[in-house]
Amino acid sequence: MKHMLYISAATLALSAGLASAQELKFAPGEDARFNWASYEALKSMDLNGQKLTVSGPWLSADKDLVESVIAYFEAATGADVQYAGSDSFEQQIVIDAEAGSPPDVAVFPQPGLAADLAKKGLLKPLAAGTDAWLAENYAAGQSWADLGTYTGPDGAKHHYAFPFKADVKSLVWFVPENFEDAGYEVPASMEDLKALTEQIVADGGTPWCIGLGSGGATGWPATDWVEDMMLRTQSPEDYDKWVSNAMAFDDPKVVGAIEEFGWFARNDAFVQGGAGAVATIDFRESPLGLFASPPQCYMHRQASFIPSFFPEGTVIGQDADFFYFPAYAGKDLGQPVLGAGTMFAKLTDNPAGDAFISFLQSPIAHEIWMAQTGFITPFKGVNTDVYGDPTLKKMGDILLGASTFRFDGSDLMPGAIGAGAFWTGMVDYAGGKPAADVAASIQSTWNTLK
């Protein structure tokens, strides 16, 4: 029996043009949940013998995962793809591009870096229609198309980057047992969330754990709060103006979003340790109050990565869970989602690069990674049943339900603001400084950059 299986696998490998079947995590055609038709369609791109270099930030387990996806492109097209990961990718890609020796394709974790290279003429526009494809096929698709559209050296806007692999930040974490014991329900709107906050206090509990401490980056968790509040109180267009400083940081709309964060963080009764502790509690330790007995807090707003700092052995979906950080029912702003993600861009005219971007538009390119770990996508054309982790599926559903997606604003701002004045300003605000004064100080720093 083992011998027969070996021959079957070998035959499969030869038909796919591979040295061994082990290069593919899932045998084409064997699991009906996958969109194998999209894999078969790739075979029309005959790239036999052509080489493609891809560079990005993924190392170790993430490198193995992206290479498991690339293997299907190689198998279908005959291309030879070499991926190189680096923990100093952001610096190396600039050096290589400016030296005239870039990879064919690069994976950018921050759109701002890609935009800088595009403006210098170091990126190549993607094939015509790529932005339209995103607008049609991704949830909140125009948001994703705009995310990869930058000003080129000619002063005109072009589509340069394809978003692939997203992260969700608009999440509130809680312990289901705590909610059940207290009789609390997951809130469906911001109005409900505020009412629940007040109810927990009335019942003698503390609603929130919030910590801004992060060494030299102290303050950054509050920037995510403010960005989420901008999306829940203002239009996506206003959010974009704010991020680019077309809307001043001390505009009343921005000051209002900061004060929305303050409604939660600057009330002694609402936060573990009182408002004065928010700026000093380390963000990695801040969720631990959820797991105390009795609970030191009931809710913690943080991105999808925070379970890494939960107590060892915590099972997501059982011991801890999350819900969407809700929008206001009384405002006509839909279901905005704040997040981050990676963007694939071309740095050469290698035709295999165009083919690879086309591959990323196929359901199979997403589903192979979805079926493993560490990947969520806004692509409406995938089968969400293939998610290998129910937690990721739930996050993916939040993405698919988004009316608007916006990238982390501080990551799009100049470093002196998004990784400087904004951080320190939020620490000052948490410490009691008026929002208008904080916003004016941040704008003053921005003015020095012009």
Side-chain angles (χ1 to χ4, degrees):
M1 183 65 177
K2 290 182 180 178
H3 181 66
M4 291 176 64
L5 288 173
Y6 173 79
I7 293 175
S8 174
T11 302
L12 172 63
L14 289 172
S15 67
L18 298 172
S20 70
Q22 281 69 34
E23 292 181 76
L24 298 185
K25 291 285 184 181
F26 308 95
E30 287 193 1
D31 188 331
R33 296 176 305 160
F34 291 89
N35 189 326
W36 294 118
S38 69
Y39 170 75
E40 293 297 326
L42 297 171
K43 294 181 178 179
S44 64
M45 298 188 291
D46 184 5
L47 303 173
N48 192 44
Q50 296 190 38
K51 296 185 182 298
L52 181 74
T53 54
V54 179
S55 178
W58 294 316
L59 295 165
S60 303
D62 286 334
K63 179 177 184 288
D64 293 340
L65 286 162
V66 71
E67 288 180 337
S68 76
V69 175
I70 290 172
Y72 287 80
F73 177 72
E74 293 178 306
T77 67
D80 177 12
V81 182
Q82 298 297 320
Y83 170 81
S86 171
D87 57 6
S88 57
F89 166 80
E90 289 86 352
Q91 294 76 33
Q92 193 61 49
I93 192 63
V94 174
I95 293 170
D96 292 345
E98 291 182 342
S101 56
D104 296 311
V105 172
V107 187
F108 291 90
Q110 292 184 337
L113 177 57
D116 288 344
L117 293 185
K119 191 172 184 178
K120 295 176 180 178
L122 299 174
L123 295 187
K124 305 295 182 181
L126 300 185
T130 305
D131 52 346
W133 185 94
L134 286 166
E136 180 179 351
N137 290 280
Y138 273 23
Q142 192 58 52
S143 301
W144 292 100
D146 293 343
L147 193 60
T149 301
Y150 315 126
T151 301
D154 59 357
K157 293 282 190 179
H158 304 280
H159 190 72
Y160 285 100
F162 186 89
F164 184 82
K165 190 178 184 296
D167 297 299
V168 175
K169 294 196 169 191
S170 301
L171 303 175
V172 177
W173 296 86
F174 70 108
V175 172
E177 184 179 357
N178 293 344
F179 266 45
E180 183 178 347
D181 289 346
Y184 302 144
E185 295 183 357
V186 170
S189 67
M190 184 59 70
E191 291 90 341
D192 291 343
L193 181 62
K194 288 187 170 183
L196 175 59
T197 297
E198 294 171 330
Q199 181 62 51
I200 292 172
V201 172
D203 292 342
T206 302
W208 293 91
C209 282
I210 304 175
L212 309 186
S214 185
T218 291
W220 74 259
T223 69
D224 285 358
W225 272 90
V226 173
E227 290 153 9
D228 252 334
M229 288 306 186
M230 275 294 291
L231 290 173
R232 282 151 182 76
T233 59
Q234 309 302 327
S235 70
E237 293 75 22
D238 278 343
Y239 181 92
D240 296 339
K241 291 177 183 177
W242 168 57
V243 167
S244 68
N245 206 223
M247 174 190 291
F249 215 106
D250 54 355
D251 186 281
K253 293 179 179 180
V254 183
V255 173
I258 295 172
E259 290 174 337
E260 284 280 333
F261 164 58
W263 188 91
F264 294 91
R266 297 214 331 187
N267 186 318
D268 285 332
F270 287 178
V271 289
Q272 179 191 3
V278 167
T280 58
I281 294 175
D282 191 282
F283 85 93
R284 287 155 287 211
E285 298 175 359
S286 57
L288 298 181
L290 296 171
F291 304 96
S293 182
Q296 296 176 1
C297 62
Y298 282 81
M299 293 177 287
H300 182 76
R301 187 227 154 274
Q302 190 50 274
S304 54
F305 69 82
I306 199 62
S308 298
F309 304 104
F310 288 174
E312 186 175 352
T314 300
V315 178
I316 305 303
Q318 299 178 26
D319 304 321
D321 207 344
F322 62 89
F323 57 84
Y324 167 68
F325 188 55
Y328 277 101
K331 298 180 183 291
D332 188 24
L333 294 172
Q335 299 287 310
V337 171
L338 178 72
T342 50
M343 318 284 290
F344 280 72
K346 295 194 310 166
L347 290 90
T348 73
D349 290 317
N350 185 345
D354 291 310
F356 187 76
I357 300 298
S358 294
F359 163 65
L360 298 180
Q361 297 173 37
S362 67
I364 198 64
H366 297 248
E367 291 173 349
I368 293 301
W369 202 334
M370 289 165 61
Q372 299 179 78
T373 186
F375 184 89
I376 55 176
T377 177
F379 188 7
K380 295 182 292 186
V382 300
N383 178 10
T384 59
D385 288 341
V386 306
Y387 272 113
D389 183 332
T391 297
L392 294 176
K393 183 181 187 304
K394 187 176 177 181
M395 292 179 185
D397 288 343
I398 289 174
L399 266 184
L400 290 175
S403 58
T404 300
F405 179 88
R406 284 298 184 269
F407 203 91
D408 181 295
S410 60
D411 283 348
L412 299 177
M413 296 173 183
I417 304 300
F422 196 178
W423 289 353
T424 56
M426 289 301 94
V427 173
D428 292 341
Y429 177 67
K433 190 174 181 178
D437 292 351
V438 167
S441 177
I442 297 171
Q443 183 57 44
S444 178
T445 300
W446 208 316
N447 291 341
T448 67
L449 306 180
K450 296 181 178 179

